[in-house]
Amino acid sequence: MRLQIVQEALKKKNIKYEYTEIDGCGSLDFLFRGLKFHVWEYEDRDWGAETNIYEAGRSQDIEGNYEEVIAKEILSWPDMMPGS
């Protein structure tokens, strides 16, 4: 199981998500306030993730401590109500 730090952030914010793993890379897809978001992990010389968490319509690559960076951003979002 990959992207565990990001998955924990999503759980803490009560955001439902779908997890997939292909070729050892994790992938998360989820909705937040009616917008579709993704975190797609990759290995291309270094590990990183493509995500659109900063702008729903634009993806960017994050490398280095990408899980911590992505989780921190998700945790800064407003809380979802249970069942949302």
Side-chain angles (χ1 to χ4, degrees):
M1 179 86 56
R2 307 273 312 164
L3 297 171
Q4 291 183 341
I5 295 170
V6 178
Q7 288 184 61
E8 285 302 314
L10 290 167
K11 288 175 188 173
K12 188 170 187 177
K13 298 305 275 189
N14 197 34
I15 299 172
K16 296 176 186 174
Y17 62 90
E18 290 183 24
Y19 175 80
T20 307
E21 190 170 319
I22 298 173
D23 296 331
C25 296
S27 174
L28 296 167
D29 294 287
F30 55 95
L31 290 173
F32 181 75
R33 293 191 164 183
L35 299 173
K36 292 182 183 181
F37 291 94
H38 68 267
V39 177
W40 299 330
E41 193 176 45
Y42 62 84
E43 182 183 20
D44 184 24
R45 293 185 310 254
D46 292 315
W47 281 90
E50 177 186 302
T51 186
N52 65 338
I53 59 167
Y54 296 107
E55 292 183 55
R58 195 186 90 185
S59 294
Q60 68 183 76
D61 292 345
I62 301 174
E63 295 183 343
N65 294 331
Y66 59 94
E67 281 205 72
E68 288 84 2
V69 170
I70 293 167
K72 182 178 177 182
E73 176 64 19
I74 290 169
L75 291 171
S76 76
W77 294 354
D79 288 338
M80 294 294 290
M81 298 300 294
S84 297

